[in-house]
Amino acid sequence: MSAVAVLDLHDLLLALGAVTPAEMRAAGLDGATLVDRSSTALPVPEQRLHESRLLALWQMAARSAQLPHIGLLVGQHYNPATRGLLASWLFQCNHLGEALQVFQDHIALMNPSESWTASVDDDTLRLGFSFAPGKNYPRAALERSMSALLRWTAEMTGAPTVPTACEFAFARPAYAERYREVFGANIRFDAQGNSILLPREFLHRPIHSANAYLKQILEERALQTFQQLAVTNALTGKVRQHIQSDLHRGLRIDDICASLHVTRPTLYRRLKREGTSFTELVETVRKELAYKQIQQGLPVASVSDGLGFKDVSTFHRAFRRWFNQSPGECRAPASLPL
């Protein structure tokens, strides 16, 4: 996913006091090393990081007792210096309808787990939002994405974006009054989905920064990166498949390299260029399988052994680090609220 999105959230959480520098370092999220700033590296707006970095940041943010509305605060923050490749492209589109289509079609450049749908009924535009199933993003991340859409479109057009209504697929939070400040007065909780309703004319609002020349340059660069993602996903997917099938009997990276017909240095180099690493992929696969299998009711010892942990206590520590709860607590319904 976009390295800029990760770095921006990292800096905001520190600035808001939601997370301390010591907590960031303990989680392996030191801002000084998140992106590659060497002379041979891609520009930061074009760099990619593994999605697990963003998830870790949001899970830390969601534990902030002092700022339960942290997602809304982050979503309303706007810094033009932190635009990534996709956001820069959107600001050169002619109108919001064009920008929305570009955004929907290429959102993988920002975060491949986000999804926006658009439908028009009479004079109302409904924008629906969701995360990919099983990603375990906390509610704060959803609040950020939905409120950010309103803030960024207001910046694009130079006029406030005021919804006619908003719907959220979760219970009314204790800080619901904060929602009125961002989404307006017509808000409904416990809805079937997460949606922002806007006047149809929203699609025709011109973007005041539109520039045909810059749009062409950014579009070409973004499409190159987007096409590279298909290749990236193919390699990452193959490595993930090997990891998943080999976890129970112990991982041998040399065997994986042999199956993929690459040397170990080549595999490391290609994964780094694609914004991840072998260690991060192992961690991600273990985390996803652990949550799924514990929710299915499998014995903890069986899950631990199947994921290649040396003992159950090591698995318990890893599980608590991932989800801030024990495997036993995870079996309870709604243990990880979205």
Side-chain angles (χ1 to χ4, degrees):
M1 64 167 302
S2 169
V4 168
V6 178
L7 190 60
D8 189 37
L9 179 59
H10 170 278
D11 293 347
L12 274 173
L13 294 183
L14 288 176
L16 291 169
V19 181
T20 67
E23 289 172 326
M24 288 289 194
R25 289 192 296 271
L29 295 166
D30 186 356
T33 59
L34 271 177
V35 297
D36 187 351
R37 300 186 185 276
S38 66
S39 59
T40 58
L42 287 171
V44 173
E46 297 183 26
Q47 290 186 36
R48 314 288 298 175
L49 289 175
H50 195 269
E51 189 181 359
S52 60
R53 304 289 184 89
L54 186 72
L55 271 167
L57 287 170
W58 274 122
Q59 288 162 0
M60 293 171 71
R63 296 196 288 269
S64 173
Q66 293 77 22
L67 296 170
H69 58 296
I70 184 70
L72 299 177
L73 291 176
V74 173
Q76 287 300 287
H77 175 81
Y78 172 75
N79 182 359
T82 60
R83 291 181 198 167
L85 193 55
L86 178 58
S88 298
W89 180 6
L90 298 179
F91 270 80
Q92 307 310 320
C93 293
N94 293 315
H95 48 75
L96 290 181
E98 179 188 355
L100 177 62
Q101 189 64 60
V102 170
F103 185 55
Q104 287 179 282
D105 291 345
H106 303 92
I107 197 169
L109 289 169
M110 186 176 294
N111 185 345
S113 291
E114 288 195 14
S115 176
W116 285 92
T117 60
S119 60
V120 178
D121 181 16
D122 295 328
D123 291 327
T124 299
L125 167 68
R126 177 184 291 271
L127 299 177
F129 177 79
S130 63
F131 283 110
K135 287 296 183 178
N136 302 318
Y137 277 96
R139 187 172 63 206
L142 179 145
E143 293 169 340
R144 177 268 163 197
S145 293
M146 294 183 70
S147 59
L149 182 137
L150 300 179
R151 178 59 192 273
W152 282 66
T153 54
E155 293 292 339
M156 289 178 177
T157 62
T161 298
V162 181
T164 55
C166 286
E167 300 172 346
F168 302 96
F170 45 81
R172 177 187 176 90
Y175 51 92
E177 277 303 311
R178 299 276 186 173
Y179 276 69
R180 293 179 176 273
E181 299 170 9
V182 177
F183 299 106
N186 192 3
I187 301 173
R188 184 162 68 94
F189 296 100
D190 290 314
Q192 291 186 347
N194 305 296
S195 301
I196 297 174
L197 281 66
L198 295 155
R200 185 173 184 171
E201 60 87 18
F202 170 87
L203 295 171
H204 304 293
R205 293 181 187 174
I207 297 174
H208 59 70
S209 56
N211 182 299
Y213 176 67
L214 290 178
K215 181 172 72 172
Q216 181 180 359
I217 294 174
L218 288 164
E219 180 178 358
E220 290 175 357
R221 189 61 183 164
L223 290 178
Q224 288 176 8
T225 304
F226 193 73
Q227 291 164 1
Q228 290 169 1
L229 286 179
V231 177
T232 297
N233 291 338
L235 174 66
T236 301
K238 289 177 182 177
V239 175
R240 282 174 57 99
Q241 289 174 3
H242 281 287
I243 291 171
Q244 185 168 336
S245 63
D246 292 349
L247 274 174
H248 68 285
R249 59 175 179 265
L251 285 172
R252 286 179 50 84
I253 190 169
D254 289 335
D255 292 342
I256 294 177
C257 290
S259 298
L260 297 174
H261 306 290
V262 296
T263 64
R264 185 186 293 207
T266 297
L267 180 64
Y268 286 161
R269 185 172 60 254
R270 289 179 61 183
L271 289 177
K272 180 180 180 181
R273 188 167 62 240
E274 294 163 2
T276 187
S277 68
F278 185 77
T279 301
E280 287 183 343
L281 289 177
V282 172
E283 178 93 346
T284 299
V285 171
R286 276 178 159 170
K287 179 180 177 180
E288 292 174 355
L289 291 176
Y291 180 78
K292 179 180 179 181
Q293 292 175 8
I294 290 297
Q295 285 282 294
Q296 290 172 342
L298 296 181
V300 173
S302 175
V303 175
S304 173
D305 186 59
L307 296 181
F309 285 90
K310 63 180 181 180
D311 52 51
V312 174
S313 62
T314 303
F315 172 69
H316 267 272
R317 288 194 297 272
F319 198 93
R320 184 168 288 281
R321 172 167 52 83
W322 290 332
F323 304 112
N324 199 37
Q325 58 186 327
S326 70
E329 293 169 328
C330 181
R331 295 188 194 278
S335 59
L336 287 176
L338 293 178

Coordinates of all heavy atoms in Angstrom, one line a residue, residues 28-89:
G28 N 8.0 -1.7 16.3 CA 8.8 -1.7 15.0 C 8.3 -0.7 14.0 O 8.5 -0.9 12.8
L29 N 7.8 0.4 14.5 CA 7.2 1.4 13.6 C 8.0 2.8 13.7 O 7.3 3.8 13.8 CB 5.8 1.6 13.9 CG 4.9 0.4 13.6 CD1 3.5 0.5 14.2 CD2 4.8 0.1 12.1
D30 N 9.2 2.8 13.8 CA 10.0 4.0 13.9 C 9.9 4.8 12.6 O 10.3 4.2 11.5 CB 11.5 3.6 14.2 CG 12.4 4.8 14.5 OD1 11.8 6.0 14.3 OD2 13.5 4.7 14.8
G31 N 9.5 6.0 12.7 CA 9.3 6.8 11.5 C 10.6 7.0 10.7 O 10.5 7.2 9.4
A32 N 11.7 7.0 11.3 CA 13.0 7.2 10.6 C 13.3 6.1 9.7 O 14.1 6.3 8.8 CB 14.1 7.4 11.7
T33 N 12.8 4.9 9.9 CA 13.1 3.8 9.1 C 11.9 3.2 8.3 O 12.0 2.2 7.6 CB 13.7 2.6 10.0 OG1 12.7 2.3 11.0 CG2 15.0 3.1 10.6
L34 N 10.7 3.9 8.4 CA 9.6 3.3 7.7 C 9.7 3.4 6.2 O 9.3 2.5 5.5 CB 8.3 4.1 8.1 CG 7.5 3.7 9.3 CD1 6.4 4.6 9.6 CD2 7.0 2.2 9.1
V35 N 10.3 4.4 5.7 CA 10.5 4.6 4.2 C 12.0 4.6 3.9 O 12.8 4.9 4.8 CB 9.8 5.8 3.7 CG1 8.3 5.7 3.9 CG2 10.3 7.1 4.3
D36 N 12.3 4.3 2.7 CA 13.7 4.3 2.2 C 14.0 5.7 1.7 O 13.4 6.2 0.7 CB 13.8 3.3 1.0 CG 15.2 3.1 0.6 OD1 16.1 3.9 1.0 OD2 15.5 2.2 -0.2
R37 N 14.9 6.4 2.4 CA 15.3 7.7 2.0 C 16.7 7.8 1.3 O 17.3 8.8 1.3 CB 15.3 8.7 3.2 CG 13.9 8.7 3.8 CD 13.8 9.8 4.9 NE 12.5 9.8 5.6 CZ 11.5 10.4 5.2 NH1 11.5 11.1 4.1 NH2 10.3 10.4 5.9
S38 N 17.2 6.6 0.9 CA 18.5 6.6 0.2 C 18.4 7.3 -1.1 O 17.4 7.5 -1.7 CB 19.0 5.2 0.1 OG 18.2 4.5 -0.8
S39 N 19.6 7.6 -1.7 CA 19.7 8.3 -3.0 C 19.1 7.5 -4.1 O 18.7 8.1 -5.1 CB 21.1 8.7 -3.2 OG 22.0 7.6 -3.3
T40 N 19.1 6.2 -4.0 CA 18.7 5.3 -5.1 C 17.2 4.9 -5.0 O 16.7 4.2 -5.8 CB 19.5 4.0 -5.1 OG1 19.4 3.4 -3.9 CG2 21.0 4.4 -5.4
A41 N 16.5 5.3 -3.9 CA 15.2 4.9 -3.6 C 14.2 5.7 -4.5 O 14.5 6.8 -5.0 CB 14.8 5.1 -2.2
L42 N 13.0 5.1 -4.7 CA 11.9 5.8 -5.4 C 11.5 7.0 -4.5 O 11.7 7.1 -3.3 CB 10.7 4.9 -5.6 CG 10.8 3.8 -6.6 CD1 9.6 2.9 -6.4 CD2 10.8 4.4 -8.0
P43 N 10.9 8.1 -5.2 CA 10.3 9.1 -4.3 C 9.3 8.6 -3.3 O 8.6 7.6 -3.6 CB 9.6 10.0 -5.4 CG 10.3 9.7 -6.7 CD 10.7 8.3 -6.6
V44 N 9.3 9.2 -2.1 CA 8.5 8.6 -1.1 C 7.0 8.5 -1.5 O 6.4 7.5 -1.2 CB 8.6 9.5 0.2 CG1 7.6 9.1 1.3 CG2 10.0 9.4 0.8
P45 N 6.4 9.4 -2.3 CA 5.0 9.2 -2.7 C 4.8 8.0 -3.6 O 3.6 7.6 -3.7 CB 4.7 10.5 -3.5 CG 5.6 11.5 -2.9 CD 6.9 10.8 -2.6
E46 N 5.9 7.4 -4.1 CA 5.7 6.2 -5.0 C 6.1 5.0 -4.3 O 6.0 3.9 -4.9 CB 6.5 6.4 -6.3 CG 6.1 7.6 -7.1 CD 6.8 7.7 -8.4 OE1 7.4 6.7 -8.9 OE2 6.9 8.8 -9.0
Q47 N 6.6 5.1 -3.1 CA 7.0 3.9 -2.4 C 5.9 3.1 -1.8 O 4.8 3.7 -1.6 CB 8.0 4.2 -1.2 CG 9.4 4.7 -1.7 CD 10.4 4.9 -0.6 OE1 10.4 4.1 0.4 NE2 11.2 5.9 -0.7
R48 N 6.1 1.8 -1.6 CA 5.0 0.9 -1.1 C 5.5 0.3 0.3 O 6.7 0.0 0.4 CB 4.7 -0.2 -2.1 CG 4.5 0.2 -3.5 CD 3.3 1.0 -3.7 NE 2.1 0.2 -3.4 CZ 0.8 0.6 -3.4 NH1 0.6 1.9 -3.7 NH2 -0.2 -0.2 -3.2
L49 N 4.5 0.1 1.2 CA 4.8 -0.6 2.4 C 3.8 -1.7 2.6 O 2.6 -1.7 2.0 CB 4.7 0.3 3.6 CG 5.9 1.3 3.7 CD1 5.6 2.3 4.9 CD2 7.2 0.6 4.0
H50 N 4.1 -2.7 3.4 CA 3.1 -3.8 3.6 C 2.0 -3.3 4.4 O 2.2 -2.5 5.3 CB 3.8 -5.0 4.3 CG 3.0 -6.2 4.3 ND1 2.1 -6.6 5.2 CD2 3.0 -7.2 3.4 CE1 1.5 -7.7 4.9 NE2 2.0 -8.2 3.8
E51 N 0.8 -3.8 4.1 CA -0.4 -3.3 4.8 C -0.4 -3.5 6.3 O -1.1 -2.8 7.1 CB -1.6 -3.9 4.2 CG -3.0 -3.4 4.6 CD -4.1 -4.1 4.0 OE1 -3.9 -5.0 3.2 OE2 -5.3 -3.7 4.3
S52 N 0.4 -4.5 6.7 CA 0.4 -4.8 8.2 C 0.9 -3.6 9.0 O 0.6 -3.5 10.2 CB 1.3 -6.0 8.4 OG 2.7 -5.7 8.0
R53 N 1.7 -2.7 8.4 CA 2.2 -1.5 9.1 C 1.0 -0.6 9.4 O 0.9 -0.1 10.5 CB 3.2 -0.8 8.2 CG 4.4 -1.6 7.8 CD 5.3 -1.9 9.0 NE 6.5 -2.7 8.5 CZ 7.7 -2.1 8.1 NH1 7.8 -0.8 8.0 NH2 8.7 -2.8 7.8
L54 N 0.1 -0.4 8.4 CA -1.0 0.4 8.6 C -2.0 -0.2 9.7 O -2.5 0.5 10.5 CB -1.8 0.7 7.3 CG -2.9 1.7 7.4 CD1 -2.4 3.1 7.5 CD2 -3.8 1.6 6.2
L55 N -2.2 -1.5 9.5 CA -3.1 -2.1 10.5 C -2.6 -2.0 11.9 O -3.3 -1.7 12.9 CB -3.2 -3.6 10.1 CG -4.3 -4.0 9.2 CD1 -4.1 -5.4 8.6 CD2 -5.7 -3.9 9.8
A56 N -1.3 -2.2 12.1 CA -0.7 -2.0 13.4 C -0.9 -0.6 14.0 O -1.2 -0.5 15.2 CB 0.8 -2.4 13.4
L57 N -0.7 0.4 13.1 CA -0.9 1.7 13.6 C -2.4 2.0 14.0 O -2.6 2.6 15.1 CB -0.5 2.7 12.5 CG 1.0 2.9 12.2 CD1 1.2 3.7 10.9 CD2 1.7 3.6 13.4
W58 N -3.3 1.5 13.2 CA -4.7 1.7 13.6 C -5.1 0.9 14.8 O -5.9 1.4 15.6 CB -5.6 1.3 12.4 CG -5.8 2.4 11.4 CD1 -5.5 2.4 10.1 CD2 -6.3 3.7 11.7 NE1 -5.8 3.6 9.5 CE2 -6.3 4.4 10.4 CE3 -6.8 4.3 12.8 CZ2 -6.8 5.7 10.3 CZ3 -7.2 5.7 12.7 CH2 -7.2 6.3 11.5
Q59 N -4.5 -0.2 15.0 CA -4.9 -1.0 16.2 C -4.3 -0.3 17.5 O -4.9 -0.3 18.5 CB -4.4 -2.4 16.1 CG -5.2 -3.2 15.1 CD -4.5 -4.5 14.6 OE1 -3.4 -4.8 15.0 NE2 -5.2 -5.2 13.7
M60 N -3.1 0.3 17.3 CA -2.6 1.1 18.4 C -3.5 2.3 18.7 O -3.8 2.7 19.8 CB -1.2 1.5 18.1 CG -0.2 0.4 18.0 SD 1.5 0.9 17.4 CE 2.0 1.9 18.8
A61 N -3.9 3.0 17.6 CA -4.7 4.2 17.8 C -6.0 3.9 18.4 O -6.5 4.7 19.3 CB -4.9 4.9 16.4
A62 N -6.6 2.8 18.1 CA -8.0 2.4 18.6 C -7.9 2.2 20.1 O -9.0 2.2 20.8 CB -8.5 1.2 17.9
R63 N -6.7 2.0 20.7 CA -6.6 1.7 22.1 C -6.5 3.0 22.9 O -6.3 2.9 24.1 CB -5.5 0.8 22.4 CG -5.6 -0.6 21.8 CD -4.7 -1.6 22.4 NE -3.3 -1.4 21.9 CZ -2.7 -2.0 20.9 NH1 -3.4 -2.8 20.1 NH2 -1.4 -1.7 20.6
S64 N -6.5 4.1 22.3 CA -6.4 5.4 22.9 C -7.6 5.8 23.7 O -8.7 6.1 23.1 CB -6.0 6.5 21.9 OG -6.0 7.8 22.6
A65 N -7.6 5.7 25.0 CA -8.7 6.0 25.9 C -9.0 7.5 25.9 O -10.2 7.9 26.0 CB -8.5 5.5 27.3
Q66 N -8.0 8.3 25.7 CA -8.2 9.8 25.7 C -8.8 10.3 24.5 O -9.4 11.4 24.5 CB -6.8 10.5 26.0 CG -6.2 10.2 27.3 CD -5.5 8.9 27.4 OE1 -5.2 8.3 26.4 NE2 -5.4 8.4 28.6
L67 N -8.6 9.6 23.4 CA -9.1 10.1 22.1 C -9.9 9.0 21.4 O -9.5 8.4 20.4 CB -7.9 10.5 21.2 CG -7.1 11.7 21.6 CD1 -5.9 11.8 20.8 CD2 -7.9 13.0 21.6
P68 N -11.1 8.7 21.9 CA -11.9 7.6 21.3 C -12.3 8.0 19.9 O -12.6 7.1 19.0 CB -13.1 7.5 22.2 CG -13.2 8.8 22.9 CD -11.8 9.2 23.1
H69 N -12.4 9.3 19.6 CA -12.8 9.7 18.2 C -11.6 10.0 17.3 O -11.6 10.8 16.4 CB -13.6 11.0 18.4 CG -12.9 12.1 19.1 ND1 -12.5 12.0 20.4 CD2 -12.4 13.3 18.6 CE1 -11.9 13.2 20.7 NE2 -11.8 14.0 19.7
I70 N -10.5 9.3 17.6 CA -9.2 9.5 16.8 C -9.4 9.4 15.3 O -8.8 10.1 14.6 CB -8.1 8.5 17.3 CG1 -6.8 8.8 16.7 CG2 -8.6 7.0 17.1 CD1 -6.1 10.0 17.1
G71 N -10.3 8.5 14.9 CA -10.5 8.3 13.4 C -11.0 9.5 12.8 O -10.6 9.9 11.7
L72 N -12.0 10.2 13.5 CA -12.5 11.4 12.9 C -11.5 12.5 12.9 O -11.5 13.3 12.0 CB -13.7 11.9 13.8 CG -14.9 10.9 13.9 CD1 -16.0 11.4 14.8 CD2 -15.5 10.6 12.5
L73 N -10.7 12.6 13.9 CA -9.6 13.6 14.0 C -8.6 13.5 12.8 O -8.3 14.4 12.2 CB -8.9 13.6 15.3 CG -9.6 14.0 16.6 CD1 -8.8 13.8 17.8 CD2 -10.1 15.5 16.5
V74 N -8.2 12.2 12.6 CA -7.3 12.0 11.5 C -7.9 12.2 10.2 O -7.3 12.8 9.3 CB -6.8 10.5 11.6 CG1 -5.9 10.2 10.4 CG2 -6.0 10.3 12.9
G75 N -9.2 11.9 10.0 CA -9.8 12.1 8.7 C -10.0 13.5 8.4 O -10.0 13.9 7.2
Q76 N -10.1 14.4 9.4 CA -10.3 15.8 9.1 C -9.0 16.6 8.9 O -9.0 17.8 8.6 CB -11.2 16.4 10.2 CG -12.6 16.0 10.2 CD -13.3 16.5 8.9 OE1 -13.5 17.6 8.6 NE2 -13.5 15.5 8.0
H77 N -7.9 15.9 9.1 CA -6.6 16.5 8.9 C -6.3 16.5 7.4 O -6.5 15.5 6.7 CB -5.5 15.7 9.7 CG -4.1 16.2 9.4 ND1 -3.6 17.3 10.1 CD2 -3.2 15.8 8.6 CE1 -2.4 17.5 9.7 NE2 -2.1 16.7 8.8
Y78 N -5.8 17.7 7.0 CA -5.4 17.8 5.6 C -4.0 18.4 5.4 O -3.8 19.5 5.9 CB -6.4 18.6 4.8 CG -6.0 18.9 3.4 CD1 -6.0 18.0 2.4 CD2 -5.5 20.2 3.0 CE1 -5.6 18.2 1.1 CE2 -5.1 20.5 1.7 CZ -5.1 19.5 0.8 OH -4.7 19.8 -0.5
N79 N -3.1 17.7 4.8 CA -1.8 18.2 4.5 C -1.4 17.9 3.1 O -1.2 16.7 2.7 CB -0.8 17.5 5.5 CG 0.6 18.0 5.3 OD1 0.9 18.9 4.5 ND2 1.6 17.5 6.1
P80 N -1.4 18.9 2.2 CA -1.1 18.7 0.8 C 0.3 18.1 0.6 O 0.5 17.4 -0.5 CB -1.2 20.1 0.2 CG -1.1 21.0 1.3 CD -1.6 20.3 2.5
A81 N 1.2 18.2 1.5 CA 2.5 17.7 1.4 C 2.5 16.1 1.5 O 3.5 15.5 1.1 CB 3.5 18.3 2.4
T82 N 1.4 15.5 2.0 CA 1.4 14.1 2.2 C 0.6 13.4 1.1 O 0.1 12.3 1.3 CB 0.9 13.7 3.6 OG1 -0.5 14.2 3.7 CG2 1.8 14.3 4.7
R83 N 0.3 14.1 0.0 CA -0.4 13.4 -1.1 C 0.4 12.3 -1.7 O 1.6 12.5 -2.0 CB -0.8 14.4 -2.1 CG -1.8 15.4 -1.8 CD -2.1 16.3 -3.0 NE -2.7 17.5 -2.6 CZ -2.9 18.6 -3.5 NH1 -2.4 18.5 -4.7 NH2 -3.5 19.7 -3.1
G84 N -0.1 11.1 -1.8 CA 0.5 10.1 -2.6 C 0.3 10.2 -4.1 O -0.3 11.2 -4.5
L85 N 0.6 9.2 -4.8 CA 0.5 9.2 -6.3 C -1.0 9.3 -6.7 O -1.3 10.1 -7.6 CB 1.1 7.9 -6.8 CG 1.4 7.9 -8.3 CD1 2.2 9.1 -8.8 CD2 2.1 6.6 -8.7
L86 N -1.8 8.5 -6.1 CA -3.2 8.5 -6.4 C -3.9 9.9 -6.1 O -4.6 10.5 -6.9 CB -4.0 7.4 -5.8 CG -5.5 7.3 -6.1 CD1 -5.8 7.2 -7.6 CD2 -6.1 6.1 -5.3
A87 N -3.6 10.4 -4.9 CA -4.2 11.6 -4.4 C -3.8 12.8 -5.3 O -4.6 13.7 -5.7 CB -3.9 11.9 -3.0
S88 N -2.5 12.8 -5.7 CA -2.0 13.8 -6.6 C -2.8 13.8 -7.9 O -3.1 14.9 -8.5 CB -0.5 13.7 -6.8 OG 0.2 13.8 -5.6
W89 N -3.0 12.6 -8.4 CA -3.8 12.4 -9.7 C -5.2 13.0 -9.6 O -5.7 13.7 -10.4 CB -3.7 11.0 -10.1 CG -4.4 10.6 -11.3 CD1 -5.0 11.4 -12.3 CD2 -4.7 9.2 -11.8 NE1 -5.5 10.7 -13.3 CE2 -5.3 9.3 -13.0 CE3 -4.4 8.0 -11.3 CZ2 -5.7 8.2 -13.8 CZ3 -4.7 6.9 -12.0 CH2 -5.4 7.0 -13.2

